[in-house]
Amino acid sequence: MRNLSGDYIVEFVLVGFPTSPPLQLLLFALFLAIFLLTLLENALIISTIWLTPSLHRPMYFFLGHLSFLELWYINVTVPRLLGAFLTQEHRVSYVGCMTQLYFFIALACTECVLLAVMAYDRYLAICEPLRYPNLMPFSMAIRLAAFSWGSGFFSSMMKLLFISRLSYCGSNIINHFFCDISPLLNLTCSNKEQAELVDFLLALVMILLPLLAVVSSYAAIIATILRIPTAQGRHKAFSTCASHLAVVVIYYSSTLFTYARPRAMYTFNHSKVISVLYTVIVPCLNPAIYCLRNKEVKDALRKTVLGNSGCPGNCCKRYWLLCSLRSKVKMAQAPLCVNHMSSHLCYDFASRLAPHLLSALLPHKRNPSICHAAMLCFYPTILQVKLLPSVTFRSV
């Protein structure tokens, strides 16, 4: 790895997006917002699937793996780009460049295989619904997820083994915003035919073969859906895989354009735009697509963010119950509180009403502090009394 002066190349220079300083700040703010949004979305999906027992199924198990992968996928490229926007430091060491290349290829290949596994899971669920529990037990889902990760990291190791053996001379400037295969192959002064061949064959195996599995699965799914007699049944069956199909189309269209080529992709600025699509935009869109198209995920996310009592439906039910309870005690309330009887009688009435009110408003009674807060908040409203400062309620 020597340049023309005989010195070793110990670092590369990533060109990134050379623009004016004001536009650099604008791009920094844009990429930072997308980066933080992607982290938040995928972290919410992972925590929601983890905390919701009803989502402990193979379909959502694979979705959790996809979100976990996207968390690392965007962290491979974007933080380095954000730092370059602020500091204008575009240099990266040779070891750092190869490390970034390894993890980027590994996660990209893993996502290709994982999307194919998710398509196969949807094929079994729609085309073989009665045999689905036997064909896709949780142990099989674990093995398929492990195969996705293992094949992706193994493929990346094989690619990096051939690329790292090349010698780099002359210019060390990479016209890209991260270390990618084609820009590195364009800088080598060694015979790169073997490395190009290995890169092309592994791209066929890790991109086209999973894509063929996806196409075959969806061909069978569409044929099965068309045989459903009712339109409502067809819509319900297709809605379970529409979000996955949208993700597949976006991801594979960009990766095929970039990597499934027999020769190294020569440097041109349009390639960076395509790279932004599958390295930054797709990880941000995936959680939104799955959440917007999947009612179960939306409901589970709402419960995770707002809590079990945060649902508007629950609030309406409890408000109605509160009104009905209030109407039932209206006659008993008047002689006790409206006529300004002693506060001890009001407190006695509230104490007798407490078990019934709490069992209605908080049927699960998961948190004693919540029960205590409910008593303090709702009792004065129902009874229309101003409790004395010395009057307190014990938590249930």
Side-chain angles (χ1 to χ4, degrees):
M1 297 180 295
R2 296 177 182 269
N3 57 17
L4 294 178
S5 62
D7 298 327
Y8 283 99
I9 291 180
V10 296
E11 63 183 14
F12 296 98
V13 177
L14 295 173
V15 174
F17 299 93
T19 55
S20 61
L23 189 55
Q24 290 274 311
L25 292 178
L26 179 62
L27 289 176
F28 169 79
L30 178 62
F31 278 96
L32 179 62
I34 296 175
F35 176 69
L36 295 178
L37 180 62
T38 303
L39 295 182
L40 177 62
E41 289 175 335
N42 287 286
L44 277 177
I45 287 185
I46 294 172
S47 59
T48 299
I49 294 174
W50 179 270
L51 297 174
T52 307
S54 61
L55 299 183
H56 293 176
R57 289 179 283 167
M59 174 183 175
Y60 301 105
F61 174 75
F62 295 133
L63 177 58
H65 274 266
L66 181 63
S67 296
F68 181 74
L69 184 147
E70 302 286 14
L71 281 177
W72 292 103
Y73 193 57
I74 197 170
N75 274 285
V76 171
T77 57
V78 176
R80 176 69 183 77
L81 179 61
L82 293 176
F85 282 137
L86 286 181
T87 63
Q88 300 302 313
E89 178 60 50
H90 300 282
R91 293 177 298 177
V92 58
S93 65
Y94 174 81
V95 175
C97 186
M98 291 300 166
T99 302
Q100 185 184 51
L101 178 64
Y102 172 73
F103 283 103
F104 174 76
I105 297 174
L107 294 173
C109 294
T110 301
E111 183 161 358
C112 290
V113 180
L114 189 59
L115 290 175
V117 169
M118 295 174 72
Y120 174 69
D121 173 71
R122 291 299 83 207
Y123 159 75
L124 293 180
I126 295 176
C127 300
E128 302 287 343
L130 299 179
R131 301 171 55 198
Y132 178 74
N134 294 328
L135 295 176
M136 185 60 72
F138 209 76
S139 58
M140 175 61 71
I142 294 175
R143 287 195 291 268
L144 289 175
F147 172 76
S148 301
W149 288 93
S151 60
F153 277 81
F154 177 77
S155 174
S156 178
M157 183 178 64
M158 296 301 297
K159 287 189 177 186
L160 195 68
L161 180 64
F162 284 89
I163 294 175
S164 61
R165 294 168 59 184
L166 300 175
S167 298
Y168 296 91
C169 55
S171 176
N172 64 341
I173 298 176
I174 300 177
N175 186 18
H176 216 303
F177 64 92
F178 69 95
C179 293
D180 204 358
I181 297 175
S182 296
L184 283 173
L185 291 179
N186 291 334
L187 295 180
T188 183
C189 54
S190 303
N191 185 1
K192 59 186 179 183
E193 291 183 359
Q194 189 178 20
E196 283 184 338
L197 179 61
V198 171
D199 175 49
F200 176 66
L201 292 178
L202 287 176
L204 290 178
V205 173
M206 301 305 298
I207 297 178
L208 289 185
L209 287 184
L211 181 59
L212 288 176
V214 171
V215 172
S216 301
S217 299
Y218 275 103
I221 288 173
I222 293 174
T224 302
I225 291 176
L226 292 177
R227 290 197 295 267
I228 298 177
T230 62
Q232 183 180 3
R234 290 193 296 268
H235 179 269
K236 184 177 180 180
F238 186 75
S239 63
T240 61
C241 54
S243 56
H244 177 261
L245 184 60
V247 171
V248 167
V249 171
I250 296 174
Y251 184 78
Y252 276 104
S253 59
S254 57
T255 52
L256 280 173
F257 177 83
T258 304
Y259 295 109
R261 295 185 176 189
R263 298 178 59 193
M265 182 183 63
Y266 294 100
T267 58
F268 55 98
N269 291 327
H270 292 89
S271 66
K272 288 189 283 188
V273 178
I274 300 299
S275 298
V276 168
L277 178 63
Y278 63 82
T279 59
V280 181
I281 304 300
V282 171
C284 183
L285 288 180
N286 284 355
I289 292 173
Y290 274 104
C291 292
L292 292 176
R293 298 289 305 177
N294 193 303
K295 185 177 183 300
E296 285 184 290
V297 176
K298 286 192 294 185
D299 293 341
L301 271 173
R302 188 182 298 112
K303 292 180 181 178
T304 300
V305 175
L306 301 178
N308 290 331
S309 61
C311 178
N314 289 336
C315 292
C316 294
K317 291 178 182 178
R318 291 179 184 182
Y319 178 75
W320 175 84
L321 180 60
L322 188 63
C323 293
S324 62
L325 285 173
R326 183 170 175 171
S327 63
K328 289 180 181 179
V329 301
K330 187 174 183 181
M331 295 304 298
Q333 175 184 346
L336 288 176
C337 299
V338 175
N339 292 335
H340 303 285
M341 297 289 288
S342 68
S343 61
H344 296 286
L345 291 177
C346 294
Y347 175 74
D348 179 67
F349 180 81
S351 301
R352 285 186 277 108
L353 186 62
H356 305 287
L357 183 63
L358 287 176
S359 62
L361 294 177
L362 300 168
H364 301 290
K365 300 182 183 179
R366 293 181 179 178
N367 193 335
S369 63
I370 297 178
C371 299
H372 182 81
M375 293 165 65
L376 293 177
C377 294
F378 288 115
Y379 280 6
T381 303
I382 296 177
L383 302 178
Q384 295 181 351
V385 295
K386 183 177 181 181
L387 298 178
L388 297 177
S390 60
V391 175
T392 57
F393 295 107
R394 295 176 300 171
S395 60
V396 179

